[in-house]
Amino acid sequence: MTTDVLRATRMNRPLMVLVSVMAVLAAVAVVGILVDPRVLTGAPIWLKPFKFAVSFVLYGATLAWMLSLLPRRSRAVERAVVVIVAVAIVENACIIGQVIRGQASHFNASTPLNAALFAAMGAAIMVLFIAHLVIGIVVLIQRIPDRVAATAVRWGLGLSLLGMLAAVPMALPMQDPGIEGIGGAHSVGVPDGGPGLPIVGWSTTGGDLRIGHFVGLHALQALPILAILLTRFAARWDDRTRARLLAVAGSAYGVLTVLLTWQALREQPLLRPDATTLAAVAALVVATATATGLVLARRRRSELALAA
């Protein structure tokens, strides 16, 4: 599996524009974190735009590489990419605008303007979800010559959709904190803005729906990285075996995303799971190890049959 950066750049200029703009925005946000003393919901006010900008840098760059693997161009994909770029710019413009105003961008319905901006962001993300889904369908239909890369890309795109869906409970009525002007929350069982893990800010006193959301979204990078590692360090294994191992990893990754969201909905901090959560994790580990062992055993039997 090879990565042709120049080809990815040439074929996906809108995504490269997005990556460039988000990289500049991330740098601006870093300056904001350093020079702006304002704090919002327990974190530096510029931290959210920084995290969103970095996330879109990774998203745009990874998606550009993935699309460079397609054997032929697709108008549906090209239009979906333009939609994604436009949505990302709108989303981040709203976040930056709210930071400048000293207002929360998410779950903020304290004024008509704040409510309208949050509604616009929600609509934008739904449009991004649909555009991402269109890309996933096209990638599923087209035949990518590299079997290992194809498996990684398809699982990555699908699981990132699951990661997007993991954010839906944040805005459901059950997440209404009962605070006037606030219509949702990241944390479960505790108010947003309480004690949290460094940098990410995930709650250490209650559940946090951002964890499953984060893990699911970054399947887009995790599965291709695993594919690269398998290609680099398990080159003696055939493509079918490596693709099957990626399918096992993708299945486990999807279950982990759901498990983390389930844990959060039960008001548990990530690092303080109860016995039920630990049992579920143990079952996932055993199932993944068993499936991996079966794939490798099947490969071994095939080699012995060929040798005979």
Side-chain angles (χ1 to χ4, degrees):
M1 190 168 88
T2 60
T3 55
D4 188 342
V5 177
L6 291 177
R7 183 167 182 260
T9 302
R10 184 173 62 253
M11 291 180 62
N12 299 282
R13 294 190 187 280
L15 285 173
M16 290 301 100
V17 170
L18 175 63
V19 169
S20 300
V21 171
M22 291 299 110
V24 171
L25 179 56
V28 171
V30 168
V31 174
I33 292 170
L34 295 174
V35 303
D36 191 337
R38 292 179 297 167
V39 173
L40 188 65
T41 60
I45 198 168
W46 284 93
L47 184 59
K48 176 167 284 187
F50 171 75
K51 291 193 290 187
F52 268 72
V54 170
S55 180
F56 273 110
V57 167
L58 293 173
Y59 178 80
T62 306
L63 193 58
W65 168 76
M66 287 180 166
L67 297 182
S68 72
L69 299 175
L70 293 178
R72 61 182 183 277
R73 300 181 67 174
S74 165
R75 284 192 176 182
V77 166
E78 290 174 352
R79 290 169 180 168
V81 164
V82 172
V83 169
I84 286 172
V85 171
V87 165
I89 291 174
V90 168
E91 181 85 2
N92 284 275
C94 290
I95 292 172
I96 290 292
Q98 290 295 74
V99 166
I100 293 171
R101 296 177 62 233
Q103 296 287 320
S105 55
H106 288 69
F107 317 125
N108 189 351
S110 57
T111 68
L113 175 59
N114 289 334
L117 288 172
F118 181 48
M121 292 171 64
I125 290 301
M126 285 302 301
V127 172
L128 188 148
F129 179 90
I130 294 170
H132 187 97
L133 177 61
V134 168
I135 291 173
I137 292 172
V138 171
V139 170
L140 190 63
I141 293 173
Q142 287 203 18
R143 187 179 182 278
I144 298 174
D146 188 328
R147 182 172 186 169
V148 178
T151 304
V153 169
R154 288 164 181 162
W155 274 98
L157 287 168
L159 289 171
S160 58
L161 284 170
L162 177 63
M164 294 179 194
L165 290 175
V168 171
M170 297 180 191
L172 294 181
M174 65 181 183
Q175 280 297 94
D176 187 344
I179 302 173
E180 185 177 357
I182 303 298
H186 299 125
S187 302
V188 183
V190 295
D192 278 351
L197 295 175
I199 302 177
V200 291
W202 298 335
S203 177
T204 54
T205 57
D208 200 311
L209 293 165
R210 289 173 293 185
I211 302 170
H213 178 52
F214 175 90
V215 170
L217 283 180
H218 290 289
L220 203 66
Q221 291 82 38
L223 272 296
I225 289 173
L226 177 58
I228 292 170
L229 292 174
L230 286 172
T231 301
R232 174 67 177 82
F233 297 106
R236 61 190 179 89
W237 295 350
D238 60 279
D239 286 353
R240 179 175 295 183
T241 296
R242 281 179 278 158
R244 285 172 175 163
L245 289 174
L246 280 169
V248 171
S251 300
Y253 200 103
V255 173
L256 177 63
T257 300
V258 173
L259 194 157
L260 290 169
T261 303
W262 171 66
Q263 179 187 10
L265 289 170
R266 292 165 55 235
E267 303 183 6
Q268 290 177 30
L270 175 65
L271 302 181
R272 289 165 52 192
D274 64 6
T276 303
T277 302
L278 289 174
V281 172
L284 175 59
V285 171
V286 170
T288 304
T290 301
T292 300
L294 290 173
V295 170
L296 295 178
R298 183 170 182 174
R299 166 188 164 273
R300 181 62 177 165
R301 287 197 299 271
S302 297
E303 287 182 343
L304 292 173
L306 289 173

